Amino acid sequence: MKGPCTVPNDARLTTLLAELSSLDTEASTTERGDLDLLSTTELVQRMNAEDRRVPEAVAGRTAEIAAAVDGITARFRRGGRLIYLGAGTAGRIGVLDASECPPTFGTDPSMVVGLIAGGETAIRSAVENAEDDDEAAATALRELELTERDTVVGISASGRTPYVVGGLRYARGVGALTVAIASNAGSAIGAEAEIAIEVVTGPEFISGSTRLKSGTAQKLVVNMLTTLSMIKLGKTYRGVMVDLLATNEKLHARSIRTVSQLAGVDVDAAAEALRAADGSVKLALLLLATGASAETATAALGAADGILRDAISALT
């Protein structure tokens, strides 16, 4: 059962209606007025045509995304964290990206964090009015003891979500790097951030349903922010994950396959190297590439800031 809906007063309602009417993500188009009359095949074709616009829109923000990746990477190297802020779909996308980093890149769960308006409950269910609290994100960031070494990425399709605006404002005051991901140009969150990634995807297939093109654009951008910063930190080698955590059978098999393929050895030799490396794919590859002892190889990786190429060069 839904909870009561908070209705804004007349003045606030007038302001909100004016704000929404100016947003591309809220716009309606007459060409979509016949969707309910189309065949399923035609609907698939129409929706797919809209979705194809998203990668092009993301490509138009290459410079801003690259600047964010470089800023995030620099702060990671100083022991900083990446913290996502968002409400609804945008918040869930941040939480999803954060939760995938530990198994993919072997990171500590505290390195990439997702905060969503309304807290844990909002990951699965809507929490009424949570996005309108412009103090909640600042409170959460304060509890995380945010510092200037951290990066805060605010995500909002409309670009006006109070929860995100308030969080970015607080983060900027602390001196953290601030990044905004919005689907409208000239956004409020973009104005609060040092780097504004405004991916304008236009009206949604269903007007105002920003889980669609806007959500897809957000997912593409956050994929880049973490994946590319992790590449720059040496979490991959020759385009393969080498810091993954083998937390299940599939990932254990993938670890053996990765070592076998990259080192050019059979499965048994790969498994033996992994045992000697205590399950570390990166260390196993270094052992096989150099013949060094586990102790020497571990020290070399540390001296190379975890970058496998540099460690191999140092030991050969």
Side-chain angles (χ1 to χ4, degrees):
M1 231 180 130
K2 286 189 175 181
C5 177
T6 299
V7 179
N9 60 39
D10 290 345
R12 180 60 182 150
L13 179 59
T14 299
T15 300
L16 275 173
L17 289 171
E19 286 181 2
L20 293 178
S21 67
S22 69
L23 301 177
D24 284 346
T25 49
E26 297 291 330
S28 300
T29 60
T30 54
E31 67 188 43
R32 298 200 192 97
D34 61 348
L35 290 182
D36 58 315
L37 303 177
L38 300 179
S39 70
T40 305
T41 298
E42 290 173 314
L43 284 169
V44 170
Q45 292 169 338
R46 288 264 197 112
M47 191 166 178
N48 183 242
E50 284 296 319
D51 288 342
R52 285 201 301 270
R53 301 172 188 263
V54 178
E56 294 179 3
V58 172
R61 301 275 72 83
T62 296
E64 293 87 348
I65 295 169
V69 169
D70 286 339
I72 291 165
T73 304
R75 283 158 181 78
F76 276 156
R77 287 186 173 132
R78 301 206 305 266
R81 300 162 294 177
L82 167 59
I83 301 166
Y84 290 118
L85 299 177
T89 296
R92 294 182 191 105
I93 285 171
V95 169
L96 172 62
D97 194 59
S99 67
E100 293 287 357
C101 286
T104 305
F105 300 113
T107 58
D108 188 278
S110 65
M111 187 173 174
V112 184
V113 177
L115 297 178
I116 182 170
E120 294 283 325
T121 301
I123 295 174
R124 295 173 183 82
S125 306
V127 176
E128 301 295 341
N129 307 314
E131 71 172 62
D132 296 328
D133 188 342
D134 60 0
E135 296 293 333
T139 298
L141 292 172
R142 208 174 285 116
E143 290 173 354
L144 286 174
E145 298 181 344
L146 188 76
T147 75
E148 73 282 353
R149 296 192 309 274
D150 299 320
T151 301
V152 174
V153 176
I155 311 171
S156 166
S158 66
R160 59 159 296 279
T161 305
Y163 175 85
V164 179
V165 172
L168 286 173
R169 186 173 296 147
Y170 173 79
R172 191 178 62 184
V174 169
L177 174 65
T178 49
V179 179
I181 302 173
S183 296
N184 289 283
S187 65
I189 67 170
E192 291 290 345
E194 185 176 336
I195 300 171
I197 304 172
E198 296 177 327
V199 183
V200 180
T201 50
E204 293 288 1
F205 184 67
I206 298 175
S207 298
S209 182
T210 53
R211 71 182 183 85
L212 301 177
K213 288 192 299 183
S214 296
T216 300
Q218 291 161 6
K219 184 65 169 69
L220 290 176
V221 174
V222 300
N223 280 353
M224 290 183 180
L225 297 185
T226 47
T227 302
L228 302 185
S229 61
M230 295 299 171
I231 289 173
K232 294 175 80 68
L233 290 175
K235 298 288 186 180
T236 66
Y237 177 67
R238 289 164 57 184
V240 180
M241 299 178 291
V242 291
D243 267 339
L244 77 162
L245 296 178
T247 54
N248 57 43
E249 289 183 349
K250 181 191 73 175
L251 293 178
H252 179 67
R254 181 178 289 163
S255 296
I256 294 174
R257 183 170 178 269
T258 296
V259 173
S260 175
Q261 289 184 330
L262 292 181
V265 299
D266 62 28
V267 167
D268 289 339
E272 178 58 34
L274 279 165
R275 279 191 290 272
D278 197 24
S280 168
V281 171
K282 185 183 288 184
L283 185 57
L285 288 169
L286 185 55
L287 295 177
L288 289 169
T290 66
S293 68
E295 184 179 359
T296 299
T298 299
L301 270 176
D305 290 328
I307 298 176
L308 182 55
R309 286 185 189 274
D310 293 347
I312 291 173
S313 295
L315 293 177
T316 55

